[in-house]
Amino acid sequence: MKVNELLSIPHLEGMIIIAGESGTDREVESVNMMDAPDIIHYLHQNEFLITTAYHFKDEPHLLTVLVKAMAEQGCAGLGIKTKRFLDKVPEEAIILANQLAIPIIELPLELSLGEIVNHTLRAILDQRASELTLALETHKQFTNIIMQGKGIGLLLQDLSQLIHRPVQLINHHFKPIYQPNTNLDFPLLLDGLKIPSLMTSPISISVRSTKQTWTLFPVHISEKKKGFLMLIGEIEKTDHLTSLMIEQATNVISFALMKENALRQQERSIRNDFFLHFSDGTFTSQQEIIGRAAEFSLKNDQKYICVVGKIDRDEHLPTYTERLEKADDIYDFIEGEVSVITPKIHFFTQGESCILLFEVEENISNPGAYCESALLQLQEKVLNYFGNTISFGVSNVSHTFLDVKNAYKDALDALSQGQLSKRTAYIQTYHTKDVMELLRMVPQDDLKKFYTFTLSRFAETKIEEEQTLLDTLSVYLETHCQISETAKRLFVHRNTVVYRIEKCEEILGKSLKDSETTMQIRLALRIRSLLET
């Protein structure tokens, strides 16, 4: 308790402060009686010393030496029975006590020093007991909120009401995790701030521009990551009740966050496994892929741009394990950054790489520029927060989720091209290399329409005959319309080839000697093979 609270104890009525009134907010943790002149050597911080002043009756000026020593030791105050052996406290001692803010209290004659000690200690213990009771009740209140599934947001709201301060929960990158509904905006002034990872006690930060102070209390998110409970103002060391309530809140929040983090890691692992199996071709059918993708809010009829990112090699992290740990921290940061971006960006990780799947909305006129702008911002933030550079390989637009499999390979190829040129912090867009890749960039509906328009008349024949004619037509065009070479590849007589080609011209109603016709057919046959994959 504080000195001014000591004066209000009912059993100690009659105590009067005669000097050092400005120090009545000093903390009283224990009480000691002066029974020897060398008590100075046994004084402790926050200790309230009481005496009859018997040892000063002949040399009252020595009280100034005691007052000075008590101030140096951080003692709480001095209680003197002035009507026993000392008529009054020397003026120089009073002046010094006022200067050093050391309270000097006149003790009532009717109470013995033993009674004063007992009543004081009992009051201190009663107060400690009530604080512990409050701590237990507060812990139970906060635990019930979490156990009932009401969430950390409501817990913070209750805490804010209890301590009469706005609070906010931020992660180790100083990004908001939870914030109660308040009219006060917390500043975005902690960007780039470095706080030691081993921090275990609260710290206060003052902002020059606003002259505002913020206090950060560490909160465990996982074994290696910490967040912070941030609130306005500074908590005084003597404000035990507020500190106790915040301590209980941080304990409960830590358990809740560690549970959430474990669930998030499990969800991320499942999501990454899905993308790995999708890119490896493990799934047996397109319908299975579409169904599984829907579980992760990935629509098949949505346009996407696939981006593969990788942290540029850091010579300060020589081992594979260290690189993975650093990459995991950076990718966790990137995932948090992209989670609030609209349109949605889906995030996956594979080993030392991360995959960002940008949803492309119809109102985005230049998807490539939009994607590059977002990646540039991520590169800048990663550099500011971690001092590392990251490079990206970017695919062209995929018109369905099924096409993302090829887009992922294109993005990997683009990333590799940048690595071959020994660059860092680059954004490399994939460049189409052949006709098939060019066709993949065309929406499937348009491809189907072109194929149907060009070769639909073959559907009027029998299925076996249609397949034979289309195969013959394909080889005939690949061999630059050479009858003999076509017959050789198909293992048939050249007259059979002549018959089939004439049959194809009859069905199409066009001559295969026309270059425009053969180009359309060649494209249609390419599209046919693309649609069948």
Side-chain angles (χ1 to χ4, degrees):
M1 62 169 49
K2 296 179 181 180
V3 173
N4 53 15
E5 293 173 325
L6 190 71
L7 296 172
S8 61
I9 297 175
H11 295 93
L12 299 181
E13 189 177 357
M15 293 199 304
I16 302 171
I17 187 162
I18 58 176
E21 192 169 357
S22 59
T24 53
D25 59 345
R26 286 176 177 266
E27 192 75 14
V28 179
E29 292 183 356
S30 62
V31 188
N32 197 355
M33 287 189 293
M34 183 175 181
D35 55 1
D38 61 347
I39 190 66
I40 291 175
H41 305 295
Y42 302 98
L43 295 176
H44 298 96
Q45 188 176 7
N46 298 329
E47 192 169 60
F48 180 54
L49 179 66
I50 58 175
T51 178
T52 58
Y54 175 79
H55 301 289
F56 301 104
K57 61 184 180 68
D58 299 323
E59 298 177 294
H61 63 278
L62 291 179
L63 266 176
T64 56
V65 177
L66 178 63
V67 170
K68 185 178 180 181
M70 292 181 70
E72 291 173 352
Q73 292 283 67
C75 294
L78 175 63
I80 302 176
K81 281 195 172 187
T82 55
K83 300 298 187 290
R84 286 287 306 272
F85 303 104
L86 198 65
D87 289 336
K88 65 176 183 176
V89 177
E91 189 65 27
E92 57 268 26
I94 292 177
I95 293 172
L96 183 61
N98 287 329
Q99 290 174 351
L100 301 177
I102 288 288
I104 296 180
I105 298 172
E106 186 176 33
L107 303 176
L109 283 173
E110 60 272 15
L111 290 176
S112 67
L113 295 185
E115 289 175 316
I116 295 173
V117 169
N118 288 336
H119 290 314
T120 304
L121 290 177
R122 186 179 294 113
I124 292 173
L125 291 175
D126 287 345
Q127 190 176 62
R128 287 287 176 87
S130 64
E131 288 176 356
L132 290 174
T133 301
L134 177 63
L136 288 172
E137 291 176 351
T138 304
H139 189 277
K140 186 185 295 184
Q141 176 184 342
F142 291 155
T143 303
N144 287 338
I145 291 173
I146 300 300
M147 295 296 289
Q148 293 169 9
K150 295 179 181 178
I152 294 176
L154 183 60
L155 187 155
L156 293 177
Q157 186 175 325
D158 279 15
L159 175 64
S160 180
Q161 292 173 353
L162 287 171
I163 65 175
H164 308 293
R165 298 167 186 258
V167 297
Q168 183 183 42
L169 190 62
I170 57 178
N171 63 18
H172 56 301
H173 300 304
F174 307 107
K175 301 296 180 183
I177 303 177
Y178 292 98
Q179 178 177 338
N181 295 324
T182 61
N183 295 326
L184 291 174
D185 292 327
F186 283 83
L188 299 174
L189 48 87
L190 299 176
D191 278 357
L193 181 65
K194 303 294 182 184
I195 291 182
S197 58
L198 298 177
M199 167 185 163
T200 57
S201 57
I203 61 169
S204 295
I205 301 170
S206 296
V207 185
R208 253 185 226 170
S209 57
T210 61
K211 296 183 180 179
Q212 182 68 274
T213 300
W214 307 84
T215 303
L216 303 180
F217 292 82
V219 177
H220 289 279
I221 296 177
S222 67
E223 184 180 353
K224 295 182 179 179
K225 297 174 184 175
K226 286 182 181 177
F228 303 95
L229 184 67
M230 182 168 71
L231 51 87
I232 295 176
E234 187 174 0
I235 305 299
E236 298 293 335
K237 291 182 180 180
T238 55
D239 192 352
H240 293 301
L241 293 180
T242 299
S243 297
L244 275 172
M245 286 187 281
I246 293 173
E247 182 182 352
Q248 303 313 309
T250 55
N251 288 338
V252 175
I253 290 171
S254 290
F255 286 117
L257 286 179
M258 292 177 77
K259 177 184 175 182
E260 285 185 8
N261 185 69
L263 293 173
R264 194 180 302 113
Q265 292 297 329
Q266 183 182 18
E267 180 188 348
R268 181 186 296 174
S269 177
I270 294 171
R271 192 169 67 243
N272 291 338
D273 285 345
F274 160 74
F275 194 86
L276 176 63
H277 294 153
F278 166 64
S279 60
D280 285 349
T282 306
F283 298 119
T284 56
S285 67
Q286 291 185 353
Q287 289 305 316
E288 183 183 7
I289 294 172
I290 293 171
R292 295 284 184 89
E295 296 176 18
F296 302 98
S297 303
L298 291 162
K299 300 176 183 177
N300 187 52
D301 58 353
Q302 170 71 50
K303 292 181 182 179
Y304 299 96
I305 290 179
C306 186
V307 177
V308 177
K310 191 172 183 180
I311 308 300
D312 296 321
R313 190 171 183 84
D314 188 348
E315 299 301 331
H316 299 293
L317 299 172
T319 69
Y320 178 73
T321 302
E322 288 176 327
R323 290 202 306 272
L324 271 185
E325 288 179 352
K326 186 63 177 285
D328 182 62
D329 196 23
I330 293 175
Y331 293 156
D332 183 61
F333 170 77
I334 292 176
E335 184 176 12
E337 289 293 307
V338 302
S339 65
V340 296
I341 295 177
T342 305
K344 189 172 183 180
I345 301 174
H346 303 270
F347 189 85
F348 309 89
T349 57
Q350 298 291 342
E352 292 186 73
S353 301
C354 66
I355 300 106
L356 293 86
L357 207 54
F358 285 73
E359 290 188 358
V360 180
E361 302 293 346
E362 295 297 333
N363 60 349
I364 299 176
S365 58
N366 190 339
Y370 159 73
C371 181
E372 183 174 351
S373 174
L375 295 177
L376 284 170
Q377 292 180 35
L378 287 176
Q379 285 181 326
E380 183 180 357
K381 289 182 177 180
V382 168
L383 182 62
N384 289 339
Y385 275 93
F386 302 95
N388 289 83
T389 58
I390 182 170
S391 298
F392 295 103
V394 185
S395 76
N396 293 309
V397 175
S398 301
H399 294 275
T400 66
F401 179 73
L402 292 173
D403 297 330
V404 169
K405 179 179 177 181
N406 291 317
Y408 172 59
K409 294 176 182 177
D410 294 344
L412 279 174
D413 188 39
L415 185 66
S416 298
Q417 289 298 318
Q419 289 174 336
L420 288 174
S421 61
K422 305 297 182 183
R423 292 184 293 157
T424 59
Y426 60 84
I427 299 174
Q428 179 72 44
T429 302
Y430 180 77
H431 297 294
T432 304
K433 297 183 179 66
D434 58 28
V435 174
M436 292 299 282
E437 292 181 359
L438 185 64
L439 290 175
R440 287 195 189 101
M441 298 173 64
V442 180
Q444 267 199 357
D445 289 342
D446 293 339
L447 293 176
K448 289 177 180 178
K449 288 177 183 177
F450 182 85
Y451 173 77
T452 303
F453 172 77
T454 306
L455 300 176
S456 61
R457 292 186 180 182
F458 282 91
E460 298 172 3
T461 62
K462 294 180 180 179
I463 295 176
E464 296 84 358
E465 186 180 11
E466 178 190 2
Q467 184 66 37
T468 302
L469 291 174
L470 288 175
D471 288 345
T472 302
L473 185 58
S474 176
V475 175
Y476 178 70
L477 293 174
E478 284 180 10
T479 58
H480 306 289
C481 303
Q482 297 294 319
I483 298 293
S484 298
E485 183 64 25
T486 303
K488 183 179 178 181
R489 292 192 184 186
L490 293 174
F491 302 101
V492 296
H493 195 275
R494 69 185 310 278
N495 289 341
T496 303
V497 174
V498 172
Y499 168 77
R500 290 177 182 176
I501 295 302
E502 290 176 349
K503 184 71 173 177
C504 289
E505 288 181 325
E506 181 184 338
I507 292 172
L508 291 168
K510 297 178 181 180
S511 172
L512 292 177
K513 293 178 182 179
D514 180 56
S515 60
E516 184 69 25
T517 299
T518 56
M519 185 181 72
Q520 285 185 341
I521 293 171
R522 286 171 68 89
L523 278 175
L525 290 171
R526 290 289 188 95
I527 290 171
R528 176 177 174 235
S529 63
L530 184 63
L531 295 175
E532 288 176 349
T533 57

